[in-house]
Amino acid sequence: MNKNKFYKYIKISVLIISLFFLYVNSEENYQIVLNKINFEYQTIFLLIVIVIIMQNLLNIRSFYFLNLTSKYNASFVEWSSLFYLTGLINHSPFWGVGHILRSTEMKKNNYSHKEYLNMYIFIFFWGSLIYSSVSILLSFYFNEANFYSLSILLILFTFSLIITSKITLKYIIVILNYLSSFQLLKKIKFLKFLLKELLITFKLSTLVSNKKIFANFLFFTLFLISFEYLKFNLIFNFLFETVDLKVVFLFFLTNYLIRMIRPIDNIIGVRESILGLYGQQLGLLFLEGALIVIISRLLGLTCLIVNYIFYYLLKKFFN
């Protein structure tokens, strides 16, 4: 068996296992939702449309980022098929495998592993920078600005700004160049290799950290934030007769903060439990708080499958 066939079998196996895990873990959640709510099909349809739009905004944002920062040569349809395939895998316990698979496939289209790591870092920290800024403004607008939440948001904002700042990156390159000049470090092969790779990565980062790329990223991210808040608002209206917009915002904010801790966010049940307990502090029942997250997660999973099938068929019939 040659390397390409072996890789193909591994990819298919990971996808099948991921889908099986998602089915097993989602079946019970779907049943909870069916038992606890009265269906309003117009609202459900609108929620599905909103989440499909959100996922496509994420997809298009990443594709524009690739076009502006690299010589990645896959078509939009090829990229989209890969984006949603690895998104499904990342919703399972194989979270890291999805990124490895995506990076491996992208390397075939003139996009190195270092470039992928660099892209992921910027998408994560620029996202954090924008979400933190908007959350701080909304905290004051809803009169929910307190010391603890503002401190966390300001720390995230400051750290994200420092990490992605061109000034910081240039200083790091100067320091790495200085360290590389030491003869003692040159004699240690691992350290010499590590310094060389870090220099390449940070030089790539300086090319990415510019106003044009950030403005493009900001445009899509502001739309994403708007649609995400609208999604939570609709879920609340779907479940409750009266909706307090402050409670919706606090759920939106807490959901964002939990999502920043990626490994925890991907463990099914953790975010549901945390927001269920948090919901009790806001006057909701534990199950009501958890149900909001369950519905949000199931919407995301359902729309991921729909988007993947759509782009997979486009790739098969038109590429």
Side-chain angles (χ1 to χ4, degrees):
M1 185 185 293
N2 63 41
K3 189 189 290 186
N4 287 336
K5 280 189 176 179
F6 178 73
Y7 171 70
K8 188 176 180 181
Y9 288 137
I10 290 292
K11 186 167 71 172
I12 292 168
S13 299
V14 168
L15 178 60
I16 291 169
I17 294 168
S18 298
L19 289 172
F20 176 75
F21 172 84
L22 291 170
Y23 170 76
V24 169
N25 283 272
S26 300
E27 187 181 22
E28 185 179 346
N29 287 335
Y30 276 114
Q31 197 57 51
I32 291 170
V33 173
L34 289 170
N35 291 338
K36 295 294 177 182
I37 61 175
N38 296 316
F39 277 98
E40 294 177 16
Y41 291 102
Q42 287 182 329
T43 307
I44 293 170
F45 177 75
L46 185 56
L47 279 166
I48 289 171
V49 169
I50 286 170
V51 177
I52 286 174
I53 291 170
M54 285 175 62
Q55 290 181 355
N56 276 281
L57 282 170
L58 281 168
N59 177 29
I60 296 166
R61 184 183 72 176
S62 298
F63 189 70
Y64 268 98
F65 185 97
L66 289 169
N67 281 338
L68 290 170
T69 62
S70 71
K71 295 178 180 179
Y72 182 66
N73 56 23
S75 69
F76 175 68
V77 172
E78 287 176 313
W79 158 254
S80 299
S81 179
L82 175 64
F83 180 83
Y84 292 114
L85 167 67
T86 50
L88 281 170
I89 293 169
N90 282 337
H91 267 64
S92 75
F94 298 114
W95 177 76
V97 177
H99 288 292
I100 293 168
L101 176 61
R102 187 182 293 175
S103 180
T104 303
E105 290 291 326
M106 290 172 74
K107 193 173 182 182
K108 298 175 184 176
N109 290 289
N110 203 29
Y111 200 76
S112 69
H113 295 306
K114 284 191 256 331
E115 285 177 303
Y116 180 79
L117 176 63
N118 189 57
M119 177 187 77
Y120 188 79
I121 289 169
F122 268 88
I123 285 176
F124 183 82
F125 285 108
W126 272 353
S128 171
L129 182 69
I130 297 164
Y131 265 85
S132 299
S133 305
V134 172
S135 296
I136 289 168
L137 292 173
L138 289 174
S139 294
F140 284 106
Y141 177 78
F142 286 111
N143 199 27
E144 289 294 338
N146 60 68
F147 174 78
Y148 298 106
S149 62
L150 279 180
S151 297
I152 294 169
L153 290 170
L154 284 170
I155 288 168
L156 286 171
F157 173 85
T158 306
F159 187 67
S160 300
L161 185 63
I162 291 169
I163 289 289
T164 56
S165 167
K166 186 169 277 190
I167 297 169
T168 305
L169 295 169
K170 285 181 176 178
Y171 272 116
I172 292 171
I173 289 170
V174 170
I175 293 167
L176 289 172
N177 277 320
Y178 178 72
L179 291 172
S180 299
S181 66
F182 282 92
Q183 291 299 320
L184 179 63
L185 294 178
K186 287 181 180 180
K187 291 177 183 178
I188 303 170
K189 288 185 178 180
F190 173 72
L191 289 177
K192 184 181 177 181
F193 170 78
L194 181 63
L195 286 169
K196 181 184 175 183
E197 293 300 307
L198 285 172
L199 264 172
I200 294 169
T201 303
F202 281 105
K203 283 177 181 178
L204 282 171
S205 297
T206 58
L207 298 174
V208 173
S209 183
N210 69 59
K211 292 177 183 177
K212 181 183 176 182
I213 299 167
F214 180 75
N216 183 276
F217 189 90
L218 175 65
F219 173 78
F220 286 108
T221 306
L222 289 176
F223 270 107
L224 273 168
I225 291 171
S226 302
F227 277 111
E228 187 173 351
Y229 185 81
L230 178 60
K231 178 190 75 174
F232 274 107
N233 200 4
L234 278 172
I235 291 172
F236 269 82
N237 277 287
F238 184 50
L239 293 174
F240 309 111
E241 290 182 7
T242 56
V243 177
D244 186 341
L245 292 178
K246 287 186 179 182
V247 175
V248 177
F249 165 67
L250 290 171
F251 250 81
F252 167 85
L253 175 60
T254 310
N255 183 69
Y256 156 64
L257 293 174
I258 296 169
R259 203 172 62 227
M260 289 297 293
I261 312 169
R262 289 301 170 93
I264 290 178
D265 183 46
N266 267 62
I267 302 171
I268 294 174
V270 173
R271 186 154 46 116
E272 288 83 347
S273 299
I274 293 171
L275 282 169
L277 291 168
Y278 183 65
Q280 288 181 311
Q281 310 305 312
L282 302 174
L284 304 177
L285 298 175
F286 175 86
L287 184 59
E288 288 173 336
L291 193 58
I292 294 163
V293 185
I294 290 170
I295 292 170
S296 178
R297 194 186 288 276
L298 291 177
L299 281 167
L301 176 58
T302 303
C303 295
L304 261 179
I305 293 169
V306 170
N307 275 318
Y308 173 62
I309 291 170
F310 175 74
Y311 283 105
Y312 177 80
L313 293 173
L314 276 182
K315 182 182 174 183
K316 282 293 179 185
F317 289 110
F318 296 104
N319 269 22

